[in-house]
Amino acid sequence: MLLNWTVMILYNYFSAMFVGPGYVPLGGTPEKSQDCMYLQYCKVCQSYKAPRSHHCRKCNRCVMKMDHHCPWINNCCGYQNHASFTLFLLLAPLGCIHASFIFVMTMYTQLYNRISFGWSSVKIDMSAAKRDPRPIIPFGLSAFAASLFALGLALGTTIAVGMLFIIQMKVILTNKTSIESWIEEKAKDRIQYYQTGETFIFPYDMGSKWKNFKQVFTWSGIPEGDGLDWPVRDGCHQYSLTIEQLKQKADKRVRSVRYRVVEDYSGVCCPVTKGVKTFFTTPCTEEPRIALSKGDLILATRGLKHWMYGEKILDSAADGGIRERGWFPRKCVEKCQYDSETDQPVDGEKKNR
């Protein structure tokens, strides 16, 4: 049974790794040219992002139905490998629970005949078992330490990976991804902030957990659809989510604040020279840091107490249209003192917007 767990775990693990999530074709455009107005354009892939797809900085491609980039499989979790990845998250804790049971029972049965209870102390004799016949495999102090260490790893994996499985099943049963759950939350915040009276309905939730489940898990192992076009619920259309993304993108531009760099920053993850608080409060994220030079202009979109996230304002003609976005220390910049309603942004800012 333990070997069976191992085979199934490794099969789904390598399937998620090598099958991959599926990528949007390079240079792809929608069949109807008028649909381009509802889609975001990826400058790196030179194509329009299909509904539910997102560009991954690690894979350097637009991924179909991207959920997240997983360092465990060194690949993205998306349209084609979502089922294999989720099965791996299920089977790994089950196999570890079985292994934990074996470790516990092994240590219990071996220690049961080695423990002697005295009036003042409890003694454990690890040299030999006080029973006949002797065990086939000697169980000494080193075997006990190895079993205890393996038990800790198995229990830790069960808890950590089991929690990830629960998170994945929650989004699968609503036919969402982790990114789409975040987009839905931002849609609610945007509507509440501007009091527009809109009602955002997530278009891909079929209204039934079983129907949503079948969108990812099939008997053939191949998910439904082609990863570009998706069935939607009544009252929505294929571009309901992409239109909301464009609205959020426009809102992000409006609410961004321009800063000027006053201190150089090398782009290291934990800068020692920027203060103790900055060093210990570095953002726990895979998002990049950007190097800053004194005099640079930054459009900041969000931030923490000691860190900010934004995009460097560059000359599109000189940098080839490449955007530099990432985290940087708050103490390295100061807010530009200008009236956003009257003053016009610089040329580079216009082009990037």
Side-chain angles (χ1 to χ4, degrees):
M1 190 63 184
L2 192 62
L3 291 175
N4 186 42
W5 290 124
T6 304
V7 170
M8 291 192 297
I9 290 170
L10 292 178
Y11 173 78
N12 285 282
Y13 174 77
F14 287 114
S15 293
M17 180 187 297
F18 294 116
V19 170
Y23 303 105
V24 177
L26 295 174
T29 57
E31 294 181 359
K32 299 178 181 178
S33 58
Q34 61 267 28
D35 291 343
C36 294
M37 62 183 297
Y38 303 123
L39 300 173
Q40 298 184 71
Y41 185 76
C42 179
K43 294 180 180 180
V44 178
C45 299
Q46 297 292 310
S47 63
Y48 286 92
K49 297 180 183 180
R52 312 191 78 176
S53 67
H54 303 275
H55 185 84
C56 175
R57 288 190 296 266
K58 299 291 181 66
C59 299
N60 203 33
R61 287 290 299 273
C62 286
V63 177
M64 294 190 291
K65 196 190 175 184
M66 178 179 174
D67 186 88
H68 67 287
H69 184 91
C70 180
W72 290 15
I73 62 174
N74 193 32
N75 210 333
C76 276
C77 174
Y79 163 66
Q80 291 184 352
N81 63 354
H82 203 173
S84 298
F85 180 77
T86 307
L87 286 174
F88 163 71
L89 297 182
L90 170 64
L91 295 170
L94 292 179
C96 288
I97 291 173
H98 187 189
S100 300
F101 177 78
I102 294 175
F103 291 135
V104 170
M105 294 307 298
T106 300
M107 289 188 290
Y108 172 77
T109 54
Q110 291 295 322
L111 293 177
Y112 181 78
N113 294 312
R114 299 170 187 262
I115 300 177
S116 60
F117 296 91
W119 290 103
S120 59
S121 64
V122 178
K123 297 181 180 180
I124 302 177
D125 181 13
M126 298 298 295
S127 60
K130 298 178 180 178
R131 66 174 184 176
D132 290 320
R134 292 176 59 84
I136 298 175
I137 301 177
F139 190 83
L141 184 61
S142 59
F144 173 77
S147 298
L148 192 62
F149 178 72
L151 176 62
L153 289 179
L155 293 177
T157 302
T158 300
I159 296 172
V161 181
M163 292 177 63
L164 291 176
F165 170 73
I166 293 173
I167 293 173
Q168 284 297 312
M169 285 306 301
K170 284 184 177 179
V171 297
I172 287 174
L173 293 178
T174 55
N175 203 10
K176 300 175 185 175
T177 63
S178 301
I179 297 176
E180 289 168 351
S181 297
W182 185 38
I183 293 174
E184 186 178 29
E185 290 298 320
K186 290 197 296 182
K188 295 176 182 178
D189 293 339
R190 182 187 64 81
I191 293 171
Q192 183 178 7
Y193 180 82
Y194 289 105
Q195 298 293 317
T196 59
E198 301 175 65
T199 301
F200 176 73
I201 300 174
F202 186 74
Y204 305 113
D205 187 354
M206 298 290 99
S208 168
K209 292 183 178 180
W210 175 243
K211 291 181 180 179
N212 294 335
F213 182 84
K214 291 193 297 181
Q215 289 286 312
V216 177
F217 296 95
T218 60
W219 289 111
S220 63
I222 302 174
E224 293 186 358
D226 59 359
L228 301 175
D229 297 319
W230 302 90
V232 295
R233 64 188 301 170
D234 295 337
C236 302
H237 58 84
Q238 191 65 225
Y239 301 117
S240 294
L241 185 65
T242 59
I243 291 173
E244 174 59 32
Q245 289 178 263
L246 291 174
K247 290 180 180 179
Q248 292 180 13
K249 193 173 183 179
D251 177 48
K252 183 178 179 180
R253 291 169 180 163
V254 171
R255 298 170 68 175
S256 60
V257 181
R258 189 166 66 171
Y259 287 82
R260 186 179 299 277
V261 179
V262 294
E263 291 184 21
D264 292 341
Y265 168 56
S266 62
V268 296
C269 182
C270 300
V272 180
T273 59
K274 303 304 178 184
V276 177
K277 293 182 178 179
T278 302
F279 178 83
F280 285 106
T281 59
T282 182
C284 297
T285 175
E286 293 184 354
E287 292 176 313
R289 276 64 169 169
I290 55 174
L292 303 177
S293 300
K294 192 173 181 179
D296 288 343
L297 294 176
I298 299 288
L299 277 178
T301 55
R302 52 192 165 101
L304 303 173
K305 186 174 182 180
H306 301 287
W307 289 82
M308 300 187 73
Y309 184 90
E311 178 180 344
K312 187 183 294 187
I313 301 174
L314 301 171
D315 184 1
S316 298
D319 59 39
I322 300 175
R323 304 167 65 184
E324 290 190 33
R325 292 183 295 177
W327 291 92
F328 54 89
R330 186 182 287 268
K331 67 175 300 181
C332 293
V333 296
E334 65 177 13
K335 187 176 180 180
C336 293
Q337 301 298 324
Y338 73 100
D339 186 355
S340 59
E341 295 183 358
T342 57
D343 292 2
Q344 297 296 324
V346 295
D347 292 340
E349 185 178 343
K350 284 182 181 178
K351 293 175 182 177
N352 280 301
R353 288 190 178 188

